[in-house]
Amino acid sequence: MPTPSTAARWCYAALWLFLLTLYSSLASATAAQQTESDQPALQTPYVAFVGNGPLVPRSNSQSIPITAMNLSEVDVEILAITDPETFLNQQYLLDNPSPYTLEQLKHAYKSVYAERFRLPPGKDNIATSARLPIPHDFASGWYVVVLKAPGSFYEIQAKHMLLTNVGIQARVYASQAVFSLTWLNNGRAIESGMVELYRDHQLHQTAEIDEQGMAVFEMALKPTDVVMVRAKADGKQKADVGILPLREVPLDLSDHAVGGRAYQTTEALIYSNRDLVKPGETLPINVLLRDQDGRALSDTPITVSVLNPRNEVILTRQLKPQAAGYFFSELVTTATWMTGRYKVDVRLDPSAEKPISRFFFMLEEFVPERMDLTFTAPAALVTAGNDLRVDMKGRYLFGSPAAGNVLTTELVFQPVQHLPGPFEAFYVGHPQKLENMYETRERQTLSDDGEVTVLLPTPAKEALKSPVATTANFALLEAGGAAVQRSLRYVSWQDAAVPGILPATKDVGYDSDATFALGLISADGQILQAGELTVTLDYDQGTHYWLYEEGVGWSRKKQDRWRRMATRTVTVEAGKTAELSLPVSWGDYLITVTDNDTGMSSTYSFYAGWYEAANRSKPSRNMPTSSWIKRLIRRVSPLKRPSPPRLPAACW
């Protein structure tokens, strides 16, 4: 057999060296890919303001709270409003100016500060909180603060900022306006200065501030007016400026019962010993007649009218005073009177349309209780799976125990999403339906001492997706008498901490930010624990969509109901909540918060848009046929079938 030549041996050696190098490279690449796959993917970086209010009081630590994720720096620009009347008449205090708005109003502001702010170190995919310092050399006034991630040119965050130490309270009437002015740092009244009213880009009128911190305009104000307060230096207080645009929505006192009833010169005070009467019983009626100063009117007669539940006058009687300003009458009811709510009216003039006073009483057939049933109130929150022990005691009102009487117990179960305690406003758990919402327990007989122990059940913890409120209705029966009824309520939940969700507002507007306070509530519902929470936001896109194809027409296609819109990781501290804002467009949304340690989760569903739930369009519907909407529909080939665009409800 011929031996290989030297050249052939060198070729074999080179080939083996190449194969070894290739194998080593492939092994290194595979290990690197394995390492990368083990690491979670970085979420989209973002930065946002925390809170909605524009006021930043002047102080040594003046700053604005912000939150950011997967960012080490943020770009900050502060715009000083040079034309408040123009800018504030097109923006509300809680508005977040968009890039388009800032571009249109650029003549009303100027840039006074631009800087790149370094954030505190944070972990990947976990929101980091920080405070953005405001330079102390800024003059008091109105500003807009703009935030964005470095290298980002589409997503910006803008927020109004009023930098001042002046507090303004305005009370606006039809032909008068009163302003109350205070220093924010100590709450004292501003004792000197000037209030200026600007209208149509001109100084319209001024008013001096008196020693009580008040300024008054004897004129009708317009919603487009802008008020500027120039407070003079006062002791340790430096001169300062405050601004208030009157277009802001005020507290409308007409929605509240602050006016009371109309004034009248004579008052009639009606009282009796009870307001529940059986047919055939007598009800004493007492009336005290007083003038506007509380003095008794001794020589004035009154007319008393009784009206039945149908508002028909069944009795009219004129009374004379039995003593100084005191009237008395006995109202004898009969068995022929209908049961219901009766009214007793008092008038000075029998022909007057309205009475000067009115008294109500109920006429009912009832059997008075002859027994009492007492128990010690149990805990408001009970761990699921454990029975609740209630010791009850029944006795007759004249003292002897209700020995041998029968006690019935009926239970009503109702899923809730709240835990009793200081954090009852937070939503916890998931909405659920129970297979059995009612239960009747076996009857129990009271002992010779009139005592009995009742064991109330709680749902099994494995079946709980949310807390369950249980109402226990007890009835102590008596032969020939009325049953004594009592009730108690308790909530059952698992022995584990659960995330809580508190929405900042009930209504969420179209194309806005939905803000929530998040916390990890302890199992007993009394404290907030520390932990790490994962937050997801899903959009309800419906289970089907309509598709138009050339030559085929409309067809209905299936799709997943929920579409993931955002994922955040939030760290909460013990005793504190974390605030989170998520951008939404329109439609139904579902926010889910999960405790990363235990896996316990809570959900809260909400609607973003202009309309109430009853007027919403269904997720699966045919597209409109008007010509301007038809132009939005893409006619596609059978190989490419995207769903048609979804529009806000206002466009339909």
Side-chain angles (χ1 to χ4, degrees):
M1 181 176 180
T3 58
S5 64
T6 302
R9 287 197 297 269
W10 278 108
C11 289
Y12 291 146
L15 178 60
W16 278 107
L17 181 61
F18 171 75
L19 293 176
L20 289 174
T21 304
L22 179 61
Y23 175 78
S24 177
S25 300
L26 291 175
S28 300
T30 302
Q33 292 178 358
Q34 182 68 26
T35 302
E36 292 179 358
S37 63
D38 293 340
Q39 297 178 354
L42 289 180
Q43 301 176 18
T44 303
Y46 81 94
V47 61
F49 293 100
V50 176
N52 294 325
L55 180 63
V56 177
R58 295 196 69 95
S59 66
N60 294 329
S61 59
Q62 57 192 29
S63 59
I64 295 178
I66 63 173
T67 181
M69 185 178 69
N70 294 337
L71 287 174
S72 59
E73 297 176 324
V74 294
D75 289 337
V76 183
E77 186 174 7
I78 300 180
L79 313 174
I81 306 302
T82 56
D83 187 357
E85 186 175 359
T86 298
F87 198 93
L88 298 178
N89 274 321
Q90 298 191 35
Q91 286 281 298
Y92 286 99
L93 301 183
L94 300 183
D95 285 347
N96 296 321
S98 64
Y100 176 80
T101 301
L102 294 177
E103 179 67 23
Q104 295 298 313
L105 296 175
K106 61 183 179 182
H107 60 280
Y109 63 81
K110 65 178 180 179
S111 178
V112 295
Y113 179 84
E115 187 61 75
R116 176 161 291 183
F117 177 68
R118 179 169 292 278
L119 297 170
K123 298 180 181 179
D124 292 343
N125 297 337
I126 296 180
T128 301
S129 299
R131 298 196 70 89
L132 181 67
I134 305 300
H136 291 85
D137 58 350
F138 275 16
S140 296
W142 209 281
Y143 298 85
V144 172
V145 183
V146 181
L147 286 182
K148 75 178 187 69
S152 174
F153 304 98
Y154 178 72
E155 291 288 343
I156 70 168
Q157 298 289 327
K159 174 186 175 69
H160 291 275
M161 180 183 72
L162 175 59
L163 185 63
T164 184
N165 190 31
V166 175
I168 308 174
Q169 182 194 50
R171 285 169 287 174
V172 180
Y173 306 98
S175 58
Q176 186 189 60
V178 180
F179 295 89
S180 177
L181 311 165
T182 57
W183 297 108
L184 293 177
N185 60 347
N186 56 23
R188 293 193 303 108
I190 297 175
E191 298 179 356
S192 61
M194 190 71 66
V195 178
E196 300 174 347
L197 180 67
Y198 287 86
R199 179 179 296 176
D200 299 329
H201 301 277
Q202 294 181 355
L203 178 60
H204 185 69
Q205 194 167 345
T206 61
E208 291 189 4
I209 304 174
D210 61 21
E211 295 180 354
Q212 285 74 39
M214 307 292 290
V216 180
F217 288 92
E218 298 293 345
M219 57 177 292
L221 302 188
K222 295 183 178 180
T224 56
D225 293 341
V226 175
V227 175
M228 181 171 291
V229 177
R230 301 187 185 275
K232 295 182 179 180
D234 179 14
K236 296 182 179 180
Q237 303 291 345
K238 297 180 181 180
D240 213 324
V241 175
I243 302 176
L244 176 64
L246 294 183
R247 75 187 297 259
E248 291 298 320
V249 179
L251 174 63
D252 190 353
L253 295 181
S254 63
D255 294 336
H256 305 271
V258 297
R261 61 181 176 84
Y263 169 78
Q264 55 190 32
T265 57
T266 305
E267 296 287 347
L269 309 176
I270 313 175
Y271 63 96
S272 182
N273 60 352
R274 64 188 188 276
D275 58 1
L276 179 61
V277 184
K278 293 177 60 177
E281 291 185 341
T282 300
L283 179 69
I285 301 295
N286 304 273
V287 181
L288 297 177
L289 195 63
R290 299 290 186 266
D291 63 10
Q292 68 269 25
D293 295 323
R295 294 188 294 264
L297 299 176
S298 56
D299 299 330
T300 305
I302 62 173
T303 300
V304 177
S305 302
V306 180
L307 289 79
N308 64 13
R310 295 178 180 174
N311 214 33
E312 300 169 342
V313 178
I314 60 174
L315 178 65
T316 300
R317 185 179 301 170
Q318 190 176 54
L319 302 179
K320 294 183 179 180
Q322 297 185 352
Y326 172 72
F327 302 81
F328 174 79
S329 178
E330 289 187 336
L331 179 60
V332 181
T333 65
T334 66
T336 60
W337 286 18
M338 67 176 65
T339 58
R341 192 186 193 201
Y342 283 73
K343 293 180 288 188
V344 178
D345 289 349
V346 173
R347 290 177 171 84
L348 292 178
D349 182 1
S351 61
E353 181 180 356
K354 294 182 179 180
I356 61 174
S357 187
R358 175 171 287 172
F359 174 77
F360 296 92
F361 70 91
M362 295 294 298
L363 187 69
E364 295 289 347
E365 288 281 3
F366 67 95
V367 178
E369 293 182 351
R370 300 197 304 171
M371 296 184 298
D372 188 20
L373 181 63
T374 59
F375 56 86
T376 303
L381 185 62
V382 183
T383 303
N386 298 332
D387 290 339
L388 177 63
R389 177 190 174 102
V390 181
D391 295 324
M392 314 196 74
K393 187 173 184 178
R395 67 176 183 86
Y396 286 92
L397 295 181
F398 50 80
S400 63
N405 288 42
V406 175
L407 178 73
T408 64
T409 305
E410 295 181 350
L411 304 177
V412 180
F413 303 100
Q414 178 65 45
V416 295
Q417 276 196 273
H418 304 278
L419 291 176
F423 308 104
E424 191 168 2
F426 285 75
Y427 288 82
V428 299
H430 300 253
Q432 70 173 125
K433 293 183 179 180
L434 300 177
E435 295 182 359
N436 184 18
M437 299 184 63
Y438 305 95
E439 181 179 344
T440 300
R441 308 290 288 177
E442 292 185 2
R443 296 190 173 196
Q444 295 178 266
T445 303
L446 273 64
S447 65
D448 294 340
D449 296 329
E451 298 177 351
V452 66
T453 298
V454 181
L455 296 179
L456 301 178
T458 58
K461 62 176 63 177
E462 296 80 9
L464 288 186
K465 295 182 180 179
S466 70
V468 173
T470 304
T471 302
N473 298 309
F474 306 102
L476 182 59
L477 307 182
E478 179 196 11
V484 178
Q485 298 182 354
R486 300 290 186 268
S487 64
L488 66 86
R489 184 179 185 272
Y490 58 94
V491 177
S492 305
W493 180 237
Q494 304 181 30
D495 188 16
V498 60
I501 307 171
L502 179 62
T505 58
K506 181 180 178 181
D507 299 322
V508 180
Y510 164 73
D511 197 15
S512 62
D513 288 340
T515 304
F516 305 92
L518 308 178
L520 187 59
I521 304 176
S522 61
D524 59 2
Q526 300 302 309
I527 61 174
L528 293 176
Q529 299 181 357
E532 188 176 87
L533 307 176
T534 297
V535 184
T536 60
L537 181 68
D538 295 307
Y539 172 67
D540 186 0
Q541 60 182 355
T543 56
H544 297 80
Y545 66 92
W546 290 96
L547 179 68
Y548 182 83
E549 299 174 272
E550 189 70 37
V552 178
W554 289 103
S555 59
R556 181 170 171 170
K557 304 294 183 181
K558 289 185 177 182
Q559 64 181 358
D560 293 334
R561 177 183 177 184
W562 297 101
R563 185 174 68 199
R564 182 62 46 84
M565 304 300 295
T567 302
R568 301 282 189 270
T569 302
V570 179
T571 300
V572 292
E573 301 178 11
K576 297 181 180 179
T577 60
E579 187 173 281
L580 178 65
S581 296
L582 298 171
V584 295
S585 179
W586 73 279
D588 292 293
Y589 287 85
L590 179 70
I591 181 174
T592 304
V593 183
T594 305
D595 181 7
N596 292 345
D597 291 335
T598 63
M600 296 291 293
S601 62
S602 300
T603 62
Y604 173 74
S605 59
F606 62 96
Y607 176 76
W610 296 303
Y611 296 103
E612 297 293 338
N615 297 326
R616 296 185 212 160
S617 301
K618 299 297 182 183
S620 178
R621 57 182 179 269
N622 204 341
M623 295 295 291
T625 57
S626 58
S627 59
W628 68 276
I629 290 292
K630 280 186 176 180
R631 290 195 294 269
L632 295 175
I633 303 174
R634 294 176 55 195
R635 300 194 174 192
V636 297
S637 66
L639 297 178
K640 188 176 182 181
R641 302 183 179 182
S643 59
R646 296 172 56 83
L647 299 178
C651 294
W652 301 97

